[in-house]
Amino acid sequence: SQQGEEDPQALSIQEGENATMNCSYKTSINNLQWYRQNSGRGLVHLILIRSNEREKHSGRLRVTLDTSKKSSSLLITASRAADTASYFCATVRTNAGKSTFGDGTTLTVKP
Amino acid sequence: SAVISQKPSRDICQRGTSLTIQCQVDSQVTMMFWYRQQPGQSLTLIATANQGSEATYESGFVIDKFPISRPNLTFSTLTVSNMSPEDSSIYLCSVKDGGDTEAFFGQGTRLTVV
């Protein structure tokens, strides 16, 4: 079974607005990663945050990690129509490096 | 970041046949993985491809159905054997250069079994 759950399942916003997606997981982790997937193609890596980190930024992306609550959030600021995609979180629990994916959030940004 | 070439990008296959998917990386990588993404769903790990030895399969996946080869640090294949319509999915190759690093994905193989 998937370790991660994401909410919302679907999010529709207007261009320029911010989008927040949440990810919860069940066991302790080494790191958590966020990915974007366009139209069922390959995944694009966005951000990796390690278990000893609380927040990371990359351009318009901000990721937080709360290990006490076993949750993470991805914030996309000033969204664009090109941000329309599915977003997945994935957790890595051991040095074996296997990723366990959440259910994903489908984001639609309307121009 | 690693550049991953996955072939074929899509295929339509008859039930009962087999398809081999190739994953070529432009640099040597420590870890290679194969995932399945069924329609409208998230990714599920099939197996870890181990160089020079048998792959490590996740619960629910077996070698007879999904034989995997990894002859070196830059190449792996996944075969989907004796296919049925339930095998229609996107299959993705992923690589990492250490357990605590980011994973990179190929563009996926969209398989339709008719």
Side-chain angles (χ1 to χ4, degrees):
Chain A
S1 63
Q2 298 293 340
Q3 160 153 258
E5 295 181 359
E6 292 179 63
D7 75 270
Q9 286 189 318
L11 179 61
S12 181
I13 59 175
Q14 293 293 135
E15 207 165 29
E17 295 179 339
N18 296 342
T20 299
M21 289 160 266
N22 302 296
C23 169
S24 61
Y25 55 92
K26 298 175 183 174
T27 65
S28 61
I29 61 172
N30 282 5
N31 65 65
L32 184 146
Q33 302 179 49
W34 285 90
Y35 295 88
R36 184 185 72 229
Q37 184 180 41
N38 292 86
S39 302
R41 300 304 293 169
L43 274 69
V44 174
H45 182 267
L46 298 176
I47 289 184
L48 179 152
I49 187 165
R50 292 186 170 83
S51 59
N52 61 351
E53 298 174 312
R54 292 296 166 258
E55 187 171 312
K56 287 189 87 168
H57 297 255
S58 176
R60 294 183 296 112
L61 307 180
R62 172 178 169 250
V63 166
T64 63
L65 178 64
D66 187 334
T67 53
S68 66
K69 295 181 179 178
K70 293 186 171 58
S71 68
S72 175
S73 67
L74 170 66
L75 168 68
I76 304 174
T77 60
S79 64
R80 305 167 182 168
D83 295 328
T84 295
S86 293
Y87 292 81
F88 294 92
C89 69
T91 55
V92 174
R93 286 184 283 169
T94 71
N95 287 334
K98 300 186 295 184
S99 297
T100 302
F101 281 80
D103 296 329
T105 294
T106 300
L107 173 65
T108 302
V109 181
K110 301 174 187 176
Chain B
S1 63
V3 176
I4 303 166
S5 173
Q6 194 172 329
K7 297 179 182 178
S9 59
R10 59 175 62 230
D11 207 342
I12 301 173
C13 300
Q14 296 291 323
R15 68 177 67 200
T17 63
S18 298
L19 176 71
T20 295
I21 302 167
Q22 298 182 359
C23 178
Q24 178 74 55
V25 192
D26 69 341
S27 59
Q28 294 185 342
V29 291
T30 307
M31 301 172 176
M32 295 182 79
F33 306 94
W34 287 98
Y35 288 84
R36 180 177 73 182
Q37 186 178 26
Q38 294 176 300
Q41 297 191 25
S42 186
L43 282 75
T44 300
L45 180 64
I46 297 172
T48 302
N50 300 310
Q51 189 216 347
S53 64
E54 191 172 291
T56 304
Y57 290 84
E58 298 299 305
S59 176
F61 297 96
V62 294
I63 187 171
D64 290 346
K65 177 66 176 178
F66 297 102
I68 288 171
S69 77
R70 189 179 174 193
N72 55 52
L73 293 176
T74 63
F75 186 77
S76 178
T77 65
L78 167 73
T79 299
V80 186
S81 303
N82 189 24
M83 288 183 286
S84 67
E86 292 70 35
D87 295 319
S88 297
S89 295
I90 298 173
Y91 292 86
L92 297 119
C93 168
S94 174
V95 305
K96 300 180 81 169
D97 213 14
D100 200 28
T101 62
E102 51 266 66
F104 298 100
F105 284 80
Q107 284 299 299
T109 297
R110 184 181 293 271
L111 170 63
T112 303
V113 184
V114 297

